[in-house]
Amino acid sequence: MDGSRWLSWVRALPASTVLGVGAAVAAAVYTVLTILAAPVWARLLATLVVAVVAIAVAFEKLRTDRRVKKEKEEEEKQKEAVAEAKWVNAAKACLLWPPMPVREIDPYKELGVARSSLAQKYAERAELLPPYVERDIDERALKRLRSHGSVLLIGTRASGVTRSAYELTLTVPASSLAIVPQGPHGLATALGELDVLSRPECGTRQLLWLDKVDTLARGGLTATMLRRCRERPGLRIVATISSTEYKVWSAENPVLAAEFGDPILLKRVPSAQELTRAAAAYPGVDFSEGIAAAFTVVAELLKQLNSGDNTCPYEPAGDDCALAREVVDVAVVWASTDIGRPLPVGQLLALVQQRLGEHRRIDGKHLRRALKWADSPVVGSASLLVRETDSEGEQVVIAQADVAEIHRAEAEEPDEAVWTAALDAAGHADDSEALGRIGFRAHIDGNAGIAAQAWAMITAIDDPAVVSLRRALAFSRGRDDPAGEVSTLERLLALTETAHGFDHPKVAKTLTDLGNAWLKSGQPPAKAREL
């Protein structure tokens, strides 16, 4: 063994072993010298030298071991610090991190509460939010949260559902820390690979804020994740979703929706009791279009639509101008079909003329006046309609989004003429995706006739509209609606047979599904066997 290898071998030994080896070597030297009849002083000196060398080597070994250990500890600390920094950056990308007590969070900036026209006034008084008007559903929502651990509030735009949800969060213990997702995929990542709820920073009590829970579901939130959250002691969940989206979301995510139980609907139009409380809190404010809407531009737009154009020079004095209101209503229904395309003014004129009847011909000047009234801003830059010129130089109109959503949620009967015109426009433009959106919207709204027309316009199994057709099938299946399944499966069957022939496995699968749907709908078994 050469010197360097011997030194490496010695350094690899523990200090205690080096001392033991040194003692053994010293004893051996003393014994050898004794056998050789060396003088006592020589034996002692040799033994002492060996012992001193062994002690020196052991001491140096001890120092080296300590230095190496310290270096390893520092290296581990650095690795842990790098890993922690990486984890924190990932957490900040997913959540409001570190979590804050609920009462310290800015509801406008962090939770999505709409800032009303009164917000600045109360901010000047060092108050974060204007006074809250208690809603009739508040007590029921609080009971649900305490007994079930979670609650889902639904409502249209301008219903105040997010503000009511925020007020509900203030009922949890003051020590509760808010877990607020940042972006649709944030919560799934945070609850999954980051496992944030197990972190000490989260505390023992937590409030999981799930505003627009449908977007979080598209980002990967699952019922299993939600169930694990509900099982944590002291954790509460407050969620919201638009009432116009809930029907579809709950059908497409039945297990996740079931975790919340029945949702609690916050109506836009206030009850008599709510109006009394609102008037006491805000004397002189008109709440006829809703408590939350009263502090937004939506109320002014709805009032304008309901009152009509009382100064129209083409109508008798004091008349509200039916033409002006019809112009807006047609544009709003057009948007509610989900066509996703602006309404050409020429098409608008034809639809309004159809509504008014041939006995009342629309004058061009009168129409321009109605359009001017509809696209004139009532507050700031908000107007019922927006007029634009498309890429082909044609004038088109677009309905205000909030008004269109409210109409969709509250309309009683569909306007078949507008729906048919939207289908024709999508077909003429060869816009298969728009065709599919119209069909799906009609299907979920229960407008079977329009849905059937849309599905009939699909020409091939690989058309983009087939995605919406399959989605409509899943919707009906999720809601246990066999009649809806039959209507979509029959069209899918025809498209599949055309694409693959009658003996293809995909045809057999569709036939089996159709037969099962017929059975569920109460048809005789013979019909299912035939299929």
Side-chain angles (χ1 to χ4, degrees), residues 215-338:
T215 63
L216 300 174
R218 290 194 292 271
L221 176 65
T222 65
T224 301
M225 293 178 185
L226 201 63
R227 196 173 301 118
R228 284 205 305 264
C229 290
R230 289 182 53 227
E231 291 171 353
R232 293 184 67 88
L235 188 143
R236 296 290 181 265
I237 304 172
V238 175
T240 71
I241 186 174
S242 166
S243 55
T244 57
E245 298 297 328
Y246 177 76
K247 182 164 63 174
V248 176
W249 176 78
S250 61
E252 294 181 337
N253 302 272
V255 180
L256 182 55
E259 282 298 309
F260 290 101
D262 293 333
I264 296 179
L265 173 64
L266 183 62
K267 295 181 179 179
R268 177 181 65 87
V269 179
S271 67
Q273 294 84 355
E274 289 175 332
L275 279 174
T276 300
R277 293 192 289 267
Y282 297 97
V285 177
D286 182 3
F287 291 102
S288 59
E289 294 299 337
I291 292 174
F295 303 118
T296 69
V297 70
V298 175
E300 298 304 319
L301 291 173
L302 292 174
K303 290 174 189 175
Q304 179 190 11
L305 178 59
N306 293 333
S307 62
D309 183 5
N310 295 304
T311 61
C312 178
Y314 303 100
E315 297 283 356
D319 193 271
D320 60 6
C321 186
L323 176 61
R325 286 188 288 105
E326 293 291 359
V327 161
V328 176
D329 193 61
V330 166
V332 167
V333 176
W334 179 273
S336 298
T337 67
D338 273 356

Side-chain angles (χ1 to χ4, degrees), residues 9-10 13 81 84 100 113 146 225 284 295 364 386 430 449 521-522:
W9 178 76
V10 171
L13 296 175
E84 179 66 12
M100 300 168 58
V113 176
R146 288 175 174 172
M225 293 178 185
F295 303 118
V386 174
D430 197 23
S521 65

Side-chain angles (χ1 to χ4, degrees), residues 486 490 511 514-515 518-519 521 523-531:
V486 168
E490 286 180 334
L511 281 169
L514 183 56
W518 273 110
L519 278 178
S521 65
Q523 296 295 324
K527 178 67 175 178
R529 284 197 297 272
E530 174 190 338
L531 292 168

Side-chain angles (χ1 to χ4, degrees), residues 189-200:
T189 302
L191 296 180
E193 62 184 77
L194 297 182
D195 192 21
V196 295
L197 296 183
S198 64
R199 300 282 292 195

Side-chain angles (χ1 to χ4, degrees), residues 3 55 134 138 150 156-157 189-191 201 205 245 278 296 341 343 375 389 395 419 509:
I55 292 172
E134 292 184 7
D138 288 350
S150 64
T156 64
R157 296 188 189 184
T189 302
L191 296 180
E201 297 96 323
R205 292 184 177 274
E245 298 297 328
T296 69
R341 302 174 65 90
L343 172 60
D375 71 3
T389 302
Q395 276 223 326
W419 281 84
K509 173 66 167 60

